[in-house]
Amino acid sequence: MKAAELFDVSGHVAFVTGAASGLGLAMAEVMADNGAHVVMSDIDPDTLESHTRRLAEAGASVEGVELDVADLAALRATIDNAAETRGRLDAVFANAGISAGPSYLRDGGQIDAIDLAKWDEVVHVNQTSVFATVQAAARHMKRQRSGRIVVTSSIAGLQSEHLVGYAYAVTKAAVINLVRQAAMELAPYNVTVNAVAPGPFFTNIGNGRLNDPEAVKAFTDMVPMGRIAEPSELQGLALLLASPAGSFITGTAIPIDGGCTAG
Ligand SMILES: NC(=O)c1ccc[n+]([C@@H]2O[C@H](COP(=O)([O-])OP(=O)(O)OC[C@H]3O[C@@H](n4cnc5c(N)ncnc54)[C@H](O)[C@@H]3O)[C@@H](O)[C@H]2O)c1
């Protein structure tokens, strides 16, 4: 197969959570650039609207839907609506996620200082909502007997990580085992389920923490390649997992981290 054919998702319907910024926006863009219709959802309607308008003006087939993934009923209804309106659902990116605040190296991040209300909030968004996204996608994809589900985990889900908070590390690990479990159930239905496990990327996560010079230095120092990535550098892996090129990849968590997890 030619590269263009391997990565062709034209006519496919993709759904992305947290699509107004960072990695979710990059995922939505690469799917749209390669022919998919993309339903872009986000809790921030204004930023979402500015990106969907920009992409549509450039010729992409995209639509924006305001969605807080913490609202599980709305999450399910939005995914159902995307699948029913378009008559299919080929790829779902369970990407929305939030920071859990400081790591144990910073004030307020030590184990005895963790606020359990904040813990619950992060578990709900990063874990329960990701499960509900996978669940809603699976309902349609089982019936369709095809589909791709991609969960955004982190290298913090693969190993201990001294720069993120407890709930972040725990939830990012949990979704990797969710991916393995769902991949086993859904394999006979020709539905693949994978996680991407990014190292540091320049995005707005943690209120733009990665724009703070001290954080940039700390994250850069942990990367063997000596730099933080741009969101566009995730696009190849996202497209691989959602396109014909990735047809036999399932149940994995693929690091994309400049070498962080190799050492
Ligand atoms: N940036 C990194 O270095 C990095 C590394 C590993 C994993 N990740 C993961 O990547 C994913 C995307 O984060 P990002 O870095 O692009 O951050 P980001 O803040 O740039 O983008 C996240 C988007 O999700 C949206 N969002 C937040 N809460 C939401 C909710 N409850 N419902 C719907 N949308 C919501 C935000 O409005 C924003 O548009 C997250 O799961 C994050 O944990 C990021």
Side-chain angles (χ1 to χ4, degrees):
M1 263 201 224
K2 303 273 192 208
E5 214 178 315
L6 277 169
F7 295 100
D8 181 15
V9 287
S10 52
H12 291 201
V13 175
F15 183 93
V16 184
T17 65
S21 173
L23 304 185
L25 177 60
M27 290 166 176
E29 286 186 334
V30 75
M31 292 300 288
D33 282 349
N34 287 278
H37 174 78
V38 187
V39 182
M40 298 170 62
S41 68
D42 202 282
I43 198 172
D44 173 356
D46 297 337
T47 312
L48 184 63
E49 146 72 8
S50 74
H51 286 298
T52 51
R53 194 170 354 100
R54 174 179 59 80
L55 293 170
E57 281 169 7
S61 179
V62 295
E63 61 186 288
V65 188
E66 182 178 354
L67 171 68
D68 176 357
V69 295
D71 180 344
L72 303 182
L75 172 61
R76 182 175 169 185
T78 307
I79 292 177
D80 286 352
N81 188 52
E84 280 151 22
T85 308
R86 291 269 154 187
R88 58 191 287 171
L89 185 63
D90 301 285
V92 168
F93 294 87
N95 166 75
I98 53 173
S99 161
S103 79
Y104 57 79
L105 294 180
R106 290 166 60 222
D107 281 352
Q110 290 85 17
I111 198 160
D112 45 351
I114 300 297
D115 171 44
L116 287 175
K118 176 70 180 168
W119 167 277
D120 283 344
E121 180 197 338
V122 176
V123 170
H124 188 73
V125 171
N126 288 9
Q127 186 173 316
T128 307
S129 297
V130 168
F131 174 74
T133 307
V134 173
Q135 181 185 49
R139 280 198 191 101
H140 296 282
M141 291 173 176
K142 274 173 101 165
R143 209 167 30 236
Q144 191 176 264
R145 300 194 86 83
S146 69
R148 306 294 176 84
I149 299 172
V150 180
V151 169
T152 307
S153 175
S154 163
I155 57 169
L158 292 167
Q159 60 186 23
S160 69
E161 168 52 70
H162 65 282
L163 294 175
V164 302
Y166 270 95
Y168 191 83
V170 169
T171 55
K172 292 299 179 182
V175 297
I176 290 177
N177 227 32
L178 162 63
V179 157
R180 295 191 186 106
Q181 194 82 357
M184 292 302 97
E185 178 184 344
L186 301 178
Y189 297 89
N190 189 33
V191 175
T192 69
V193 191
N194 292 289
V196 295
F201 279 68
F202 282 115
T203 69
N204 292 317
I205 198 161
N207 298 320
R209 184 177 166 222
L210 275 165
N211 300 317
D212 164 46
E214 205 183 302
V216 170
K217 183 174 178 347
F219 279 104
T220 302
D221 285 350
M222 75 184 228
V223 182
M225 288 183 78
R227 66 180 179 86
I228 296 173
E230 294 297 334
S232 61
E233 295 183 83
L234 193 88
Q235 289 182 320
L237 178 57
L239 183 61
L240 168 68
L241 295 174
S243 65
S247 57
F248 206 50
I249 303 173
T250 198
T252 64
I254 302 180
I256 176 157
D257 65 357
C260 290
T261 49

